[in-house]
């Protein structure tokens, strides 16, 4: 269960799709949220409800659970830790960008956000670290190891969200200078189940690349 946008639910949608799992993609309209909020475990979305009615909440917890069930999460403890490390760090991409210019008038906010993702900015510095992490820990367009993991899907969704227009003032070409991030985005987007998932969907920033 998530809102009718990619956002924090997209990586899990992709994991289920790649794993060939049939699922109900329940999307809550924003006007429904006030009433629906009290039914969630932590007052937030996404929530994964299993066929027996049990529920799991929190984005990365859901993604790890699904990843383990569908062989998209490493069994090797070191690689699993690196997947967790990247997902925890990449969560800050959106946070740092959102905080830039918060409370300012529109023009000033957009300028502050553009500065944040430009060389010398806080978001840019984090993207540099992510790009370097992929170079050190992954290969072939993958963030950790040489096969698709939930870290790839999480970063794909986070980075695409950054340049989707969700954040005012962020240029659509912000990620073009980060070769490893771009290779990962392309690799995920070209997976046949992912390509099929986006057929007929018009999500700015989600490719194809």
């Amino acid at each position: 269960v998530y809102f009718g946008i990619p956002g924090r639910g997209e990586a899990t949608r992709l994991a289920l799709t790649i794993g060939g799992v049939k699922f109900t993609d329940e999307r809550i309209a924003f006007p429904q949220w006030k009433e629906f909020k009290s039914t969630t475990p932590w007052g937030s979305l996404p929530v994964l409800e299993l066929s027996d009615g049990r529920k799991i909440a929190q984005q990365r917890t859901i993604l790890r659970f699904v990843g383990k069930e569908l062989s998209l999460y490493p069994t090797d403890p070191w690689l699993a830790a690196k997947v967790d490390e990247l997902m925890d760090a990449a969560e800050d991409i959106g946070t740092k960008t959102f905080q830039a210019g918060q409370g300012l008038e529109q023009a000033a906010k957009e300028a502050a956000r553009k500065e944040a993702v430009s060389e010398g900015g806080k978001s840019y510095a984090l993207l540099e670290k992510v790009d370097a992490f992929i170079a050190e820990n992954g290969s072939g367009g993958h963030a950790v190891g040489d096969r698709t993991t939930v870290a790839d899907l999480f970063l794909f969704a986070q980075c695409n969200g950054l340049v989707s227009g969700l954040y005012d003032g962020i240029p659509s070409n912000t990620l073009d200078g980060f070769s490893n991030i771009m290779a990962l985005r392309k690799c995920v987007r070209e997976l046949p189940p992912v390509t099929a998932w986006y057929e007929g969907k018009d999500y700015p920033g989600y490719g194809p690349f």
Side-chain angles (χ1 to χ4, degrees):
V1 183
Y2 192 63
F3 300 110
I5 58 174
R8 298 170 67 85
E10 194 70 359
T12 296
R13 291 170 180 151
L14 293 179
L16 292 168
T17 299
I18 292 168
V21 176
K22 293 183 179 180
F23 65 99
T24 300
D25 184 18
E26 185 175 354
R27 299 188 179 219
I28 302 299
F30 288 112
Q32 297 177 269
W33 174 234
K34 184 177 181 180
E35 181 178 350
F36 190 82
K37 184 175 182 178
S38 63
T39 70
T40 66
W42 300 99
S44 63
L45 293 177
V47 172
L48 176 69
E49 183 172 349
L50 305 182
S51 58
D52 62 6
R54 290 181 296 170
K55 295 180 180 180
I56 303 171
Q58 298 298 318
Q59 177 186 201
R60 295 193 298 281
T61 299
I62 293 170
L63 192 54
R64 280 192 292 267
F65 173 80
V66 171
K68 290 172 183 177
E69 291 294 311
L70 300 177
S71 299
L72 293 170
Y73 188 87
T75 55
D76 177 86
W78 173 259
L79 294 179
K82 300 308 284 186
V83 164
D84 289 342
E85 178 185 345
L86 179 60
M87 293 199 297
D88 289 347
E91 176 75 12
D92 286 341
I93 293 172
T95 302
K96 289 181 183 296
T97 305
F98 178 78
Q99 289 172 344
Q102 194 172 10
L104 299 180
E105 295 294 331
Q106 186 67 22
K109 179 175 71 173
E110 290 184 12
R113 286 184 171 175
K114 185 174 182 180
E115 182 179 349
V117 297
S118 299
E119 191 168 0
K122 289 183 178 180
S123 297
Y124 185 94
L126 180 54
L127 290 168
E128 277 191 316
K129 289 180 181 295
V130 169
D131 203 64
F133 179 98
I134 297 171
E136 181 178 348
N137 294 280
S139 65
H142 304 293
V144 177
D146 59 0
R147 59 190 300 272
T148 300
T149 68
V150 291
D152 300 331
L153 308 182
F154 184 83
L155 190 59
F156 176 80
Q158 285 288 110
C159 288
N160 293 348
L162 178 67
V163 296
S164 67
L166 177 65
Y167 301 96
D168 298 340
I170 303 301
S172 60
N173 64 350
T174 291
L175 299 170
D176 290 2
F178 300 99
S179 61
N180 296 301
I181 291 175
M182 291 299 294
L184 181 146
R185 294 173 75 203
K186 187 174 188 293
C187 183
V188 171
R189 186 59 174 79
E190 291 181 351
L191 292 171
V194 174
T195 299
W197 171 255
Y198 286 115
E199 284 182 6
K201 295 182 174 72
D202 183 19
Y203 292 157
Y206 280 77
F209 307 108

